[in-house]
Each structure stands twice: as structure tokens, then as C-alpha cells.
Amino acid sequence: MGDLELLLPGEAEVLVRGLRSFPLREMGSEGWNQQHENLEKLNMQAILDATISQGEPIQELLVTHGKVPTLVEELITVEMWKQKVFPVLCRVEDFKPQNTFPIYMVVHHEASIINLLETVFFHKEVCESAEDTVLDLVDYCHRKLTLLVARSGCGGPPEGEGSQDSNPMQELQKQAELMEFEIALKALSVLRYITDCVDRQWSVSQPPQLAHLKRMQCLYPVCWFLSPGKLQQFEGSRWHTVAPSEQQKLSKLDGQVWIALYNLLLSSEAQARYCLTSFAKGQLLKLRAFLTDTLLDQLPNLAHLQSFLAHLALTETQPPKKDLVLEQIPEIWERLERENRGKWQAIAKHQLQHVFSPSEQDLRLQAQRWAETYRLDVLEAVAPERPRCAYCSAEASKRCSRCQNEWYCCRECQVKHWEKHGKTCVLAAQGDRAK
């Protein structure tokens, strides 16, 4: 992997073997922060490996050491923290931290894990190694895509513009909202990779589970939300205006939805166990309007889906089945909620006192570790596009000379962004000098 190798093979194995699940109370603690940094390194190395196509050691290590279930549990744990504990922290009126970056690290943790899972779930053996937690992961993706569909009427993610009077915690809430949209799109990709294993997984490891299919049906309305022909498309973490001549071009997100639908609807197991009611038939037949010649030219396999829907139009619907059904259910979310029910205030209070109120010296040490973790040469190598201005999002060519972490298109934007960037910039620069 040359000069851009982030982790040596032996080092990567040590980091993978050390992965473990943390209780909600320990989110943001010293041990948790160390694992977050390790996950970021594994994440960047996995993306780098996939980018230069020189083997997939991270994916192989996760399977060998059985750590995919651990990642799924950590993903759901931080999701619950963001829903149950983070809002409590934001409501504490006298909590005015000098720097919100320690809290941001926990908020960002979910995005880091789902990004790593998106990278490695391309390989079917990773999906199989998830074992029973694959149902918890499908349930997680179902929640995220339900949120995505609920926001579809707004035309995209929440606006990033904030009020001049916003305090740091309010700004952090807005960043978390923006992050949720991208997390949901990552969940869409993960769910698509799981559909690649529908027949293979169920036939090899266990009998077909109806719960998988029921939760994956959330893809149908998502397909209409991300259908081709939009004036804007979300790609590379940003919204882009699409020229009229490009509006029929299939984006990566559109492709993920169509492939997932293809896998689900044409799967022999799914067809055998899916109850075709009048409502379900009506919803599925709406897909025919999107199967244009232009789309079929870009994804020729969808011709089989078109034939399936044509046959479906002539098929008689079925009455709801009344047979006894034994169904496996996801258990991680339920278990975590049961273990921590009624403790959200206590967890928030503990973290305020012991985790999210670090001293100036602790912040400097953390800044030093962050500078070591996020190597700029590696970040630039795995970046999907040219850097964007931190203030106006235009294409940027100038970098902050002090911390080297933020990009700007002009001096004016840098000056306007300084009020928000200043404290982080100083800390990052101090940590860099301390190395």
C-alpha cells in the first residue's frame, strides 16, 4: 500500500482483536475514546484498501475474530445514546462547555461505525459472520430509512444554516441532525448488501426469517423518494444540482435501491413467503412507472424485475395468512432499553461531571491524539471529491495555515468562519506542536 499505509497488518489485527462493546454510561470515557480512535483508523484503512484494490485485510480480520456482532451492538448502543442521553445533555441550562468536541466525538461515532460496515459488508462473508445480529442490523436500517422517508417531503436533509445567537450545544444539535441524513443513506447501502445474501444466508445458517422481509419492505417508499429524474441529487455527502441532460443518469443511491428491490422481489425465498395482499400488489406495481428504457439501459438486469411486475399484474391476490408464525426478533435495542430504563438522567449527569467537562490539559492531549489519528495525507487519498469551503461549501483550494484541518475558497469565508472554527483550530495547533 506504499506510503499511504495507515496500519501495519500486525497493528490492524491488534486493534480488531481489542474491539469490545461499551455500556451507555461509558460513552466518551477514556477507554471508549481510545476505541473510537482505533475504529477511525480501521475505517480509513478499509476505505484505502478498497480504493487502491490491494486486498481487504480489515474485512478479513473482522470475520476471523468475530467482531462484526460487536460493531453492530456498538452501533445500536450509540444510536440509543443519541436518542435518550444526548437530548438530556442539551436541555441542561447551566452546562456551557468550553469545547463541544468530546461530545461531538460520541455523536460522530455512529457515522464512523456505519461507514465501516458499509465498506466491509460488500463482502458476503461479513454478512454471514454477523450471525443473529444481522436481524438487529436490519432493524436498525429500517429505523433509519423510516426517518429518511419521513423527511422526503422536505426535499432533503435539514438546513445547515444556524442563527447567530446559537450556543455551542445548539450548534452541535444541528450538526447531529445533518449527520442523521447521511447515516440513513449509509444504512441504505448496508441494507442493500444484506439483500445480496438473502437466499445464501437463510439457506446456510437458519430457516427463513419473516422479520427480515417485513423490515426490508421499507425500501419500497424509499425507491420513490430516490427515484431518477430529480433536479437535485445527494452524492459525495452533498446536494448537487443536476443538469437537464444528466437527470436520467442513475446515481449510486438510486442504483442501491433498485438492486436491493431486485434482490428482494426476485428472491425465491422471499417470493415463497411474501403474502401478496391487494395493498401490497398495488404498491409494488407503482414501480413500473420508474422502469424506463433509460433506466434499463443502465441496469439491464432490471428487465427481469419488469417481467416480474408484468406477471404480478395478472396474479390473483392472497388473503392474509392465519397460520401460526414463529418469528425471530431483534434483541439488542430491547435489551439496552431494559437495562437502562429510568437511568437516562443519571447517565447524563455522570457524563457531565466525569466525561464532557475536561480540563484544558485534557483537551490538548485529546487534540494531539486526534491530529495523530486523522492523517491529512490519508484523508485526502480517500476523499470522494475535492475539498469544500467550510463556510460556503464551494470548491476550496486554500487550507487553514495554523491547524491545516479546514479548507476555504477565499480569505473572506475564512474570516467569517473563524468564530466557529477558532477554538478547535487553537487546540489542534497546540496538539500538533506538542508531538
Side-chain angles (χ1 to χ4, degrees):
M1 280 165 276
D3 295 335
L4 285 179
E5 187 171 45
L6 183 65
L7 297 171
L8 298 174
E11 186 181 2
E13 183 171 10
V14 170
L15 297 187
V16 170
R17 291 178 63 182
L19 294 176
R20 66 182 181 91
S21 299
F22 282 81
L24 267 77
R25 184 182 176 88
E26 294 185 29
M27 290 282 172
S29 64
E30 184 176 352
W32 181 93
N33 267 305
Q34 183 60 61
Q35 176 159 293
H36 175 74
E37 293 163 14
N38 294 342
L39 270 171
E40 289 287 19
K41 292 177 181 178
L42 293 171
N43 198 359
M44 288 187 285
Q45 186 65 59
I47 296 173
L48 186 61
D49 293 340
T51 301
I52 61 178
S53 301
Q54 292 191 14
E56 306 286 348
I58 304 303
Q59 156 254 322
E60 293 170 3
L61 290 171
L62 289 171
V63 172
T64 300
H65 297 289
K67 294 299 183 179
V68 176
T70 302
L71 290 177
V72 174
E73 180 157 353
E74 268 289 278
L75 178 69
I76 296 173
T77 302
V78 73
E79 179 198 17
M80 180 168 287
W81 181 92
K82 287 171 65 176
Q83 287 193 22
K84 304 292 187 178
V85 180
F86 181 53
V88 177
L89 294 174
C90 294
R91 288 196 298 266
V92 178
E93 294 182 359
D94 59 347
F95 178 53
K96 299 178 180 178
Q98 292 182 340
N99 194 299
T100 58
F101 216 74
I103 307 177
Y104 175 82
M105 285 289 100
V106 184
V107 173
H108 185 262
H109 191 60
E110 183 181 7
S112 299
I113 298 176
I114 194 66
N115 193 75
L116 177 57
L117 290 177
E118 181 194 28
T119 303
V120 300
F121 258 71
F122 175 80
H123 305 274
K124 293 183 178 181
E125 60 268 24
V126 176
C127 182
E128 293 178 356
S129 73
E131 301 177 342
D132 290 343
T133 61
V134 72
L135 180 55
D136 294 275
L137 184 56
V138 169
D139 202 51
Y140 167 87
C141 293
H142 178 271
R143 290 192 294 271
K144 295 300 177 182
L145 295 186
T146 300
L147 175 65
L148 186 64
V149 173
R151 287 180 174 171
S152 63
C154 302
E159 292 297 327
E161 296 297 328
S163 169
Q164 296 292 333
D165 300 326
S166 298
N167 61 43
M169 290 302 294
Q170 290 172 332
E171 287 294 328
L172 187 57
Q173 281 182 290
K174 292 171 185 174
Q175 292 176 18
E177 284 290 309
L178 289 168
M179 204 179 298
E180 276 296 308
F181 184 82
E182 295 192 42
I183 289 171
L185 297 183
K186 297 289 184 182
L188 169 63
S189 293
V190 170
L191 192 57
R192 176 255 144 149
Y193 293 135
I194 294 175
T195 66
D196 287 341
C197 305
V198 167
D199 286 337
R200 179 178 178 182
Q201 177 193 340
W202 289 347
S203 61
V204 172
S205 63
Q206 58 183 349
Q209 302 295 340
L210 297 179
H212 292 70
L213 288 176
K214 290 179 180 178
R215 286 163 177 81
M216 289 184 188
Q217 288 167 14
C218 66
L219 277 169
Y220 302 153
V222 173
C223 176
W224 307 326
F225 170 41
L226 297 176
S227 61
K230 296 285 185 182
L231 295 179
Q232 286 192 324
Q233 288 183 342
F234 190 82
E235 200 161 8
S237 299
R238 296 184 185 278
W239 284 96
H240 302 279
T241 299
V242 182
S245 60
E246 297 290 319
Q247 288 183 18
Q248 295 299 317
K249 185 177 180 180
L250 194 68
S251 71
K252 179 182 177 181
L253 290 173
D254 293 324
Q256 295 283 43
V257 176
W258 283 115
I259 293 171
L261 287 169
Y262 178 91
N263 290 338
L264 285 174
L265 294 175
L266 274 69
S267 158
S268 58
E269 292 287 358
Q271 289 185 23
R273 297 176 181 273
Y274 185 65
C275 183
L276 185 63
T277 62
S278 297
F279 176 77
K281 177 180 176 180
Q283 296 300 305
L284 292 177
L285 290 180
K286 291 180 181 179
L287 295 172
R288 292 190 298 177
F290 298 105
L291 290 168
T292 63
D293 291 340
T294 304
L295 176 61
L296 295 177
D297 287 341
Q298 297 174 78
L299 277 178
N301 283 351
L302 292 184
H304 299 294
L305 178 58
Q306 189 177 48
S307 299
F308 166 81
L309 293 174
H311 180 266
L312 180 64
L314 304 176
T315 303
E316 293 293 331
T317 58
Q318 307 167 4
K321 295 181 179 180
K322 298 181 180 180
D323 298 338
L324 175 66
V325 176
L326 298 178
E327 180 180 314
Q328 183 181 358
I329 60 174
E331 63 88 23
I332 295 178
W333 177 275
E334 295 292 336
R335 173 171 54 79
L336 290 173
E337 191 169 39
R338 185 173 60 253
E339 292 172 351
N340 296 280
R341 187 176 294 119
K343 301 178 182 178
W344 314 120
Q345 296 278 353
I347 293 173
K349 182 178 180 181
H350 168 80
Q351 293 181 332
L352 282 177
Q353 294 175 350
H354 303 285
V355 178
F356 298 134
S357 299
S359 64
E360 192 72 21
Q361 182 179 2
D362 290 336
L363 282 174
R364 289 176 181 174
L365 290 174
Q366 285 184 344
Q368 180 180 346
R369 294 208 309 267
W370 296 331
E372 293 170 351
T373 299
Y374 299 103
R375 277 178 43 186
L376 293 176
D377 56 343
V378 177
L379 289 175
E380 290 173 3
V382 303
E385 58 179 14
R386 290 183 62 83
R388 296 279 176 173
C389 177
Y391 183 78
C392 71
S393 299
E395 190 171 297
S397 59
K398 305 178 187 301
R399 181 184 285 171
C400 176
S401 59
R402 175 179 288 182
C403 70
Q404 298 288 307
N405 290 336
E406 292 285 14
W407 288 83
Y408 299 98
C409 62
C410 61
R411 174 67 177 172
E412 182 180 356
C413 282
Q414 184 177 14
V415 172
K416 292 179 179 178
H417 191 248
W418 178 250
E419 183 178 356
K420 183 176 180 179
H421 173 58
K423 291 182 180 179
T424 304
C425 178
V426 172
L427 283 170
Q430 289 174 344
D432 209 25
R433 288 197 298 270
K435 290 192 291 183

